[in-house]
Amino acid sequence: KAADIGVAMGMTGTDAAKDASDMILLDDSFTTIAYAIKEGRRVYRNIQKVIQFLLVGNIAEILALFIATVFNWNSPLLALHILWVNLATATLPALALGVDPASKHIMEHQPVKSGTLFEKDLVRRVVIQGIFVAGMTLIAYWIGANSGGHTAGQTMAFCVLAFSQMLRAFNQRSNTEPIWVRAEGLNPWLVVSFAVSLAFMLAILFVPVLQNAFKLTLLTGDQWLAVVGLSLLSILQVEAGKGIKRLKKG
């Protein structure tokens, strides 16, 4: 009863032990504890992944609009664009991250204090990534506005914000392992969510009726190259952060 977590046997334990314990092993096997810890860590990490994924996108949106307002620039995004990103390109990948399988190294991680969800390292990563995505969004707007006008700038900013978030879902699966390592345990739901979100994005970008409704325009080849490059930089930034963290530990 005085233990942090009291454990009693479900088959051979006494009623007094069961009443005083926090955990009852129904099969009397201590191996079950390891399985339970692994599943608990998986759920905990997945909650962190979802929160981190969504917060980075929200910080990027707010910061991009805030900077544009402070410097009296034209708005790089419309309210409709932000609503679409939050509903179409963020919701499905977030749900997929919530059912992500456990990393093969999950039992090697240090235990965390009870009730601790927002670790200092997590907060720092979220803020840095949010600032980076906001910067890429504003650069995309500047490139588009200078090469094709205000509407082209908004279209490019919208694309970079949405695509970078969709791509970042893949390297958000682990804060320590490279994206190509976590790909060994691929999450099929994440692939499906990416495909569906991509189909939605292509529809509003190329179907004339939807394109007009979202106040978007067709981009040139050079503009698309800029969109793809800026979106991929979001992945590179996260992977660089992981690499630096591994070097410090090594």
Side-chain angles (χ1 to χ4, degrees):
K1 188 175 181 63
D4 292 333
I5 299 178
V7 182
M9 299 298 174
M11 298 174 65
T12 59
T14 64
D15 291 338
K18 293 177 185 178
D19 291 340
S21 67
D22 301 294
M23 179 190 298
I24 300 176
L25 295 177
L26 299 179
D27 57 0
D28 284 10
S29 173
F30 284 101
T31 307
T32 305
I33 297 178
Y35 293 143
I37 292 173
K38 183 177 181 179
E39 180 62 16
R41 289 188 172 195
R42 185 189 72 85
V43 172
Y44 173 81
R45 293 298 177 188
N46 285 354
I47 292 173
Q48 278 191 330
K49 294 174 192 176
V50 173
I51 293 175
Q52 181 175 336
F53 175 76
L54 294 175
L55 283 180
V56 169
N58 291 336
I59 290 174
E61 294 163 1
I62 294 171
L63 192 57
L65 292 176
F66 176 76
I67 292 174
T69 302
V70 168
F71 290 97
N72 199 28
W73 297 342
N74 290 324
S75 177
L77 297 163
L78 297 176
L80 187 60
H81 299 160
I82 294 175
L83 182 62
W84 176 264
V85 169
N86 289 335
L87 292 179
T89 65
T91 303
L92 293 178
L95 291 174
L97 286 173
V99 295
D100 205 35
S103 165
K104 61 183 178 181
H105 300 297
I106 195 167
M107 295 300 284
E108 300 172 11
H109 296 169
Q110 292 294 322
V112 296
K113 292 182 180 180
S114 177
T116 302
L117 184 60
F118 293 99
E119 304 168 1
K120 290 182 179 180
D121 192 39
L122 173 65
V123 175
R124 183 170 60 253
R125 285 195 303 269
V126 167
V127 172
I128 292 174
Q129 290 177 26
I131 293 173
F132 187 86
V133 175
M136 296 301 100
T137 302
L138 291 173
I139 291 173
Y141 173 78
W142 181 83
I143 293 173
N146 282 277
S147 61
H150 176 61
T151 304
Q154 285 188 328
T155 303
M156 287 186 65
F158 170 63
C159 287
V160 168
L161 181 64
F163 290 142
S164 63
Q165 187 164 33
M166 291 161 55
L167 291 169
R168 194 164 32 79
F170 288 95
N171 59 3
Q172 205 76 83
R173 297 182 63 204
S174 174
N175 290 319
T176 55
E177 298 173 358
I179 188 172
W180 55 88
V181 173
R182 282 296 277 142
E184 295 175 1
L186 193 62
N187 181 351
W189 292 111
L190 191 57
V191 177
V192 171
S193 69
F194 178 84
V196 173
S197 297
L198 180 61
F200 286 158
M201 282 295 297
L202 295 177
I204 66 170
L205 286 169
F206 294 105
V207 176
V209 175
L210 296 176
Q211 186 186 95
N212 292 332
F214 281 84
K215 301 186 186 318
L216 302 172
T217 187
L218 289 174
L219 300 177
T220 65
D222 290 340
Q223 289 171 338
W224 271 115
L225 285 175
V227 166
V228 173
L230 292 171
S231 299
L232 289 175
L233 282 177
S234 182
I235 287 184
L236 296 178
Q237 181 265 326
V238 176
E239 292 304 318
K242 292 180 187 179
I244 294 171
K245 187 176 181 180
R246 288 195 300 273
L247 287 174
K248 288 181 178 179
K249 284 187 175 181

